[in-house]
Amino acid sequence: MKFIVKLFPEITIKSKPVRKRFIQRLQSNLQVTLKRLDNDIKVRGLWDKVEVEVPSEDAELREQVIDLMSRTPGILHFLEVVQHPLGDFDNVFQITKAAYADKIKGKTFVVRIKRSGKHEFKSGDLERYVGGGLLQHCDTAGVDLHNPDIKVKMEIREQDLFMISHKHPGLGGYPLGSQEAVLSLISGGFDSVVSSYMTMRRGCKTHFLFFNLGGRAHEIGVKQIAHYIWQQYGTAARVKFISVPFDEVVGEILQNVHHSQMGVVLKRMMMRAGEKVADRMKLPAIVTGESIAQVSSQTLPNLQIIDSSTSKLVVRPLVTMDKQDIIDITKRIGAFDMAKNIPEYCGVISDRPTTNAKLERIEEEEANFDYEVLDKALENAQIIAIDKIVEDINVHADIEAMTKVGANQVIIDIRAANEQERKPLNMPKAEVLIIPFFNLETKFQELDQGKEYLLYCDKGVMSQMHAQNLQDKGFENVKVYRPEV
């Protein structure tokens, strides 16, 4: 199998050094991620494209490669091609006829050829020859140059002919790592999930900063959604997940700040904490999911006051987006069910919150705040590599992993529906329940507690986290199922 990767258009208009750097970064990202599927996959960067060669014709591997490249930032689209020696015009026609005779039967068509290199013919000459041959020797509905049913596409580079069998859409954006790294404030809700995704898509290595207001269960939920976004769109880069316990900070605000100013003060404390974390990690910018006027703290005057608490650049990818548009993106990237099940922890609920904060008043309220509480929260922050989340949980708890299913044990497949459909868990001799992870906490209470339940997912990440969460809630009849490979 061979794929030709076409670059996001903004890359092609860059200067030669920048364009070369972006292509090298995209090539490197694809090499890192594709070799996890098959170590023999080859990736080659050229001036205007990247070529991917897969030595195997395995159908499952093909689907995995297509899925991965469709989620890789920096790709406009990629073509699935079959490579042939160019030969003469008749050779090109015979190859095209073999590939397209059935596809264009009873349909209108047009032949389109892209050519690079030195040749004694023009692209139009070959298009007319091949098109005339198909019209004469195949049972078609004729040629339509403007609105055909089928476009017969091929590319010629020097003495090689690439017959295009499929065109797959890409994610767009810039290659991950081609822009500066950022620190994204993530709560697990729709806004912060989409803003994190958008900075990844734009080429920024995106670390995650979480202010924990809801205890361990909240942290587990946010870890799982951050891990998902990274796993889908950012695995070419190693990033950190930082969790800061913020309950005492909220308590200090509740005791010492006027209720109308609490929301803005809380955001300013988060910005101050984010700045210190970003400084430690040498990151130039903080990312938030705020949108103008979505809530009281996000009016333009309030956002200006919030930004004045930090010297870092504050990036807001969603600043003019409507809520429904944001939700629609979570559906498109597969994060909707997770985000909608993350509880909202506002921290403070203001009575008649200000929508037009004044810096003098805010500073007056903050003078009553004990900043040692904020310093203590930062001292207690936990920083882990996002791909080490399971190992981190194992440090805190001993969740037994089972390789076989015994008597009175039931497997719960907690994967999302698309994962279950793509790779069903075939266990004919065991009882298997299908409860997606975002419904697990609610549904688990309704199960027969006289049985023992083994949670299953492909990588063992989500099953480990949710087993720990259920045990923390007092359910001791939970383990993890990890079949032997």
Side-chain angles (χ1 to χ4, degrees), residues 57 129 137 148 169 201 249 259 389 429 443 463:
E57 295 296 327
Y129 183 93
H137 296 281
R201 181 183 176 275
V249 175
H259 58 78
I389 283 176
K429 295 183 180 180
K443 296 291 185 182
S463 58

Side-chain angles (χ1 to χ4, degrees), residues 1-18:
M1 289 181 284
K2 187 163 188 171
F3 299 89
I4 297 177
V5 177
K6 299 295 185 177
L7 307 174
F8 180 56
E10 289 183 27
I11 297 175
T12 63
I13 63 174
K14 301 294 183 185
S15 65
K16 288 184 178 180
V18 174

Side-chain angles (χ1 to χ4, degrees), residues 95-111:
I95 292 172
T96 308
K97 179 184 175 184
Y100 277 92
D102 292 336
K103 295 179 182 179
I104 62 177
K105 186 176 181 180
K107 298 180 180 179
T108 60
F109 73 96
V110 67
V111 177

Side-chain angles (χ1 to χ4, degrees), residues 1-3 34 37-42 52-66 69 80-82:
M1 289 181 284
K2 187 163 188 171
F3 299 89
L34 289 172
L37 302 178
D38 188 321
N39 196 53
D40 293 328
I41 293 177
K42 305 296 182 185
V52 175
E53 292 192 34
V54 183
S56 171
E57 295 296 327
D58 180 73
E60 182 177 353
L61 178 59
R62 172 184 175 272
E63 291 300 321
Q64 291 175 332
V65 169
I66 292 171
M69 290 202 294
E80 194 170 353
V81 302
V82 180

Side-chain angles (χ1 to χ4, degrees), residues 435-448:
I435 306 177
F437 59 85
F438 44 81
N439 290 329
L440 183 62
E441 187 171 326
T442 301
K443 296 291 185 182
F444 193 85
Q445 302 175 45
E446 303 171 3
L447 300 178
D448 179 0

Side-chain angles (χ1 to χ4, degrees), residues 153-173:
K153 295 182 178 181
M154 64 191 84
E155 292 193 8
I156 295 172
R157 188 169 68 245
E158 300 300 344
Q159 296 304 308
D160 290 315
L161 170 68
F162 299 93
M163 188 64 59
I164 301 171
S165 59
H166 296 88
K167 179 180 178 180
H168 305 280
L171 189 63

Side-chain angles (χ1 to χ4, degrees), residues 394-421:
N394 285 336
V395 169
H396 295 89
D398 183 18
I399 304 295
E400 187 176 356
M402 309 294 292
T403 59
K404 298 184 183 299
V405 183
N408 203 44
Q409 290 182 327
V410 178
I411 296 175
I412 301 180
D413 188 341
I414 68 169
R415 296 174 298 168
N418 61 331
E419 294 179 279
Q420 295 168 359
E421 292 172 4

